[in-house]
Amino acid sequence: MDAYSISFTSASQRSFSRIWKDLKSCRQYSIMDMGFEEVSEMPSLEQRIGERRARTSGRKPHIGVIGAGLAGLRCTDILLQHGFDVTLIEGRNRLGGRVHQFKLPSGHKVDAGPNWIHGTNDNPILDLAKETQSAVGQWEEKSSVFDEAGNQLTASDAALYSSIMWDVVSDAFEYSNKHSATISPDESLWDFFQREVPKRIADSEADFERKRNYVYQLASQWGAFVGSHIFTQSLKFFWLEECIDGENLFVADTYEKILQLVAKPAVEGANIIYKTVVNRIWSTNDDGGMLKVSTEGGESLEFDEVVLTAPLGWLKQHTHAFEPPLTSRLAKAIKHIGYGCLEKVYITFPKPFWAPGPSQERTVQGFCQMLSPLYATDSNPHRWNQEFVELASLKSSSQPTLLYYFYGDQSKFITGELAKLSSKEKQDAFLLDWFKPYYSRIPYYDENSPDCQPIGCFATEWLNDDLAGNGSYSNFQVGLEEGDVDIEVMREGLPGRGLWLAGEHTAPFVALGTATGAYWSGESVGKRIAQAYCRGQGGQMVLN
């Protein structure tokens, strides 16, 4: 839920920043100039295995791409541009994977998957949004905050505590980047907050414990960035959470038109097989034999190369699906990188009751945090913070809707309860009842006003979605010892065996866990395969 930019590396520091060097290194085909030496484009020995396959087979190489999310679609596009035959295998009855939309009763569409464009500098997703005229928006970098009793803090207090919280986050990025090698794997971002907040709110300040508590409670919102609690966020590898610099934009029109544009080449040029779930992959060896893919329906398919874009959560649950087994180092990488469980609920109203007329003061706009509520302990005994963004104040494509983000135990509870209910009507009734203690405390709510009565809602259930790997996206949790190397190992895949991996978990460090990262990862693998087969645009052989 990126209300704020979380890029802290200045332009002058990028020539020696690990995260920016990584972006340059793994996107050697990029037109971006990061300001330091070029990376060699000479293919490695393993990459040249593909050239041998192509020359001995005497036919057009056939690539199997498993998964039709952003990574699979972009990879398919690149492969088609370079003259490959591509079969795209998708377990759902639609394209997009975790990029998917739902229409609310009001007629407005909302995203079940990514809502944001993370960073605006040289971001291809923003370019696609502009090309498709998809409206984007943002809010001021401030939040409305409600205390434990449901009382709204003054704007100045909310700004003060939020500023302290984000200053600590900024310092944590710098500390992690400088000292990652010596930070204990068991140290968390929460541990860092415990050390740093008392330095900013001294014991000598009046009511210092209450003030610190506000900052600690606000810090919990980090979970909505990564899909897991701040207690579990690795400090050692916190530097890997930095995003592309620039603004973070909310895609008000949804990702629908962006997805359509990304999917167009695959729709027009690839063989797409829907509702087909892969359950086993037989990879090859240096002899260059064909790879085999079997499906739950009993089909068996053969390819020269296979690109697997399944989510990290799926990989964690299906390491047994590979023959021969994955290398021990790759299996270790898949096991060790975390997988979050961010979920969300949209609740829509006839009108945005929280947006008063011109004669009334607007007290809630953009983001809102309701801290450790004491007023709903029957339904929320753990007092989970409630965080939402209101969508009515967007300048374009606004709608009278509240978007709640949650993670961790609350995600498990909400999705678990939804799974027990037999109809959409029962699920909606549960959701509206559970969230009412929170939306009913927003200023200008009136129980008797029709404008304050929800007319519909939608909840994601990624934790109940096997094809999504029963979760949301990758993150870095305490106990991790080689997080950066783990990502690089997954990114490399097993090209010598014809098995390539793509997805947000294999992206450049600066785009991990994002739609941009998924897109870039598919692009990178497509170009690596084209390079391995020495194929230029249109399939022309380009021999060095």
Side-chain angles (χ1 to χ4, degrees), residues 89 102 143 148 153 172 223 276 282 336 344 355 383 469 477 488:
I89 306 169
F102 178 85
S143 299
E148 297 174 343
L153 301 188
T276 301
W282 285 267
H336 286 176
K344 50 193 175 184
R383 299 172 57 195
Q477 302 197 1
E488 292 169 341

Side-chain angles (χ1 to χ4, degrees), residues 94-95 97-115 250-257 259 344-348 391 399 401-403 423-425 427-428 431 455-462:
R94 58 171 179 80
L95 301 176
R98 285 169 282 182
V99 180
H100 181 53
Q101 291 73 43
F102 178 85
K103 182 179 285 188
L104 296 170
S106 62
H108 293 99
K109 289 185 178 180
V110 294
D111 276 311
N115 291 118
F250 188 88
V251 186
D253 271 349
T254 77
Y255 265 76
E256 183 176 33
K257 290 184 287 186
L259 174 61
K344 50 193 175 184
V345 166
Y346 295 87
I347 301 177
T348 192
L391 305 183
Q399 56 175 292
T401 300
L402 303 176
L403 166 53
S423 68
K424 180 70 165 62
E425 291 74 19
Q427 290 180 331
D428 287 357
L431 291 168
I455 59 174
C457 60
F458 168 69
T460 62
E461 295 184 68
W462 297 117

Side-chain angles (χ1 to χ4, degrees), residues 56-68:
T56 57
S57 64
R59 58 179 174 76
K60 202 173 184 180
H62 186 194
I63 314 300
V65 178
I66 302 172

